[in-house]
Amino acid sequence: MTDLPEYPWIKNISMHLRHKSSYGIIKQYQLIAITFIVICFFIYNLNSIYIELSTAAIDDNKLISSTSNLVEINNIVQPFTQRQVGMTPQSARVQKIKIQKNETFCLSKLPPQWFKKLPPRWFKQSSIECDKSYNERGISSSHLPPRKIADTNNSIYFLHIGKAGGTSVDELLGNILKCQHRIYIGEKHYDYSYIQQQIQTKKQQQSHLRGGSYNDKHDEIEADVITFLRHPVSRAASQFYFSKMLPWAKKQNASFLYETFDEYLDTPNKTWYQPIFDGESGSDFLTGIFPTSDGHWVASDGKETDEKIYLRQNKTAACLLAAQRLESTVWFGLLEDVDRSMKLLQITLGLDDTPVLPRANKMRYPHPTEETKKKISKYVPKDIWLYEYAKRLFEARWNYYIGKCPYVSPELPPLPAFE
């Protein structure tokens, strides 16, 4: 046998073991073999060690910045919606458990006041049981039961409606979804056309990576849309008093700075309509028909199309499209029903505890009187109609998740007689 090369460190270890062992001398080639096995074991587990360290370091002291306009959180660990190629079932289960532990650790570092434990007196049966009941009864409908965000790995777009609690939702959801290694596009006001544009851009990027070929099956980009609604009347009042604090209003010495809300509503020749603009409470966000000019406070795809012009003119069609897209959302909440909204959020995200909506942009202002509410309602018929449908849809989802099967899609409210 050819003599193995001499290495000083091996020789030292061998000399040490020669004195310590009572069973004989460890040969150099045996020590090299043991060292090789140890190195292979370390390399085999290096990926797991990296995952533990990188995930444990997820924003140890840094939560999502509230100053960024677009938050796209890259996956630190690839979620296991399917078993990866070459991975045994046992290793896939181990990897999935590690990811769940890392998510729990990350969530535990969020402010404790963001979560609370509630008694499990609701949600007696799972949606799987509901789906089974749904199929056994042979019920077919174009209105499918709601699914959970946790069931997919889709990108999540948050339609942030102004003065409807969106800043608080951004703060809460952005950090929770980061712990779940999800891509979250929020902290920016945009409408539905912006989402469609982003999806189309990703399709084109995928097509380009395959040399320009396009395939609907492989180029399908899935996205989950979520939103948070507020009653149009209270949202309008909040918008009015919030705008009094904005720099542009003070710089322009706007007349509404010196008016009460009722005085503003009674002004005959208004030049500023934002608080009472029909669409700003949700319908124009969902239909995607905000102005496409650069610099508008709501981002869009920047394209003025015949469809947008038509939807602005035909308010009935706009309402129906807004309702259809609200139904397609994977989750939405109501500010006036925040406790149940957070409970549904817990279920759809698969969380152990119920999230608590943080209080951001706190502001005190006089609440509108009944007479003032009637005045506002005349300005925003689209949004009032959509909110009424949203309440019905919310109840349908709530009933489904507490175990009332099958899922029953709500009827549309009577459409208003638009002028």
Side-chain angles (χ1 to χ4, degrees), residues 98-112:
K98 286 183 178 180
I99 291 174
Q100 291 172 344
K101 288 182 178 179
N102 291 331
E103 177 186 329
T104 302
F105 174 77
C106 179
L107 290 172
S108 70
K109 297 182 74 64
L110 298 180

Side-chain angles (χ1 to χ4, degrees), residues 168-188:
S168 299
V169 174
D170 256 329
E171 184 179 8
L172 178 69
L173 267 179
N175 288 289
I176 291 176
L177 292 171
K178 187 172 186 180
C179 287
Q180 294 185 334
H181 319 298
R182 305 295 295 265
I183 298 177
Y184 173 69
I185 300 90
E187 298 204 2
K188 179 178 181 177

Side-chain angles (χ1 to χ4, degrees), residues 64 70-79 149 152-158 170 173-187 190 195 198-199 202 205-206 221-226 330 349:
I64 295 173
L70 183 62
V71 179
E72 295 206 19
I73 303 165
N74 296 322
N75 291 350
I76 297 177
V77 183
Q78 179 66 32
I149 293 176
T152 71
N153 189 33
N154 298 340
S155 300
I156 299 170
Y157 289 83
F158 175 49
D170 256 329
L173 267 179
N175 288 289
I176 291 176
L177 292 171
K178 187 172 186 180
C179 287
Q180 294 185 334
H181 319 298
R182 305 295 295 265
I183 298 177
Y184 173 69
I185 300 90
E187 298 204 2
Y190 51 76
I195 299 174
Q198 297 299 306
I199 295 174
K202 290 182 179 180
Q205 290 172 348
Q206 286 190 356
I221 304 292
E222 295 293 343
D224 287 340
V225 179
I226 60 177
V330 71
L349 289 176

Side-chain angles (χ1 to χ4, degrees), residues 367-394:
H367 290 286
T369 63
E370 291 301 318
E371 182 181 354
T372 304
K373 292 178 181 179
K374 292 179 181 179
K375 292 179 184 178
I376 300 172
S377 299
K378 294 179 181 179
Y379 284 98
V380 288
K382 281 195 311 181
D383 284 335
I384 294 245
W385 180 88
L386 179 66
Y387 190 81
E388 177 58 35
Y389 173 70
K391 289 194 296 182
R392 298 183 181 192
L393 182 61
F394 185 92

Side-chain angles (χ1 to χ4, degrees), residues 54-79:
S54 62
T55 310
I58 295 174
D59 275 349
D60 202 340
N61 297 310
K62 299 177 183 177
L63 298 180
I64 295 173
S65 170
S66 60
T67 58
S68 61
N69 283 333
L70 183 62
V71 179
E72 295 206 19
I73 303 165
N74 296 322
N75 291 350
I76 297 177
V77 183
Q78 179 66 32

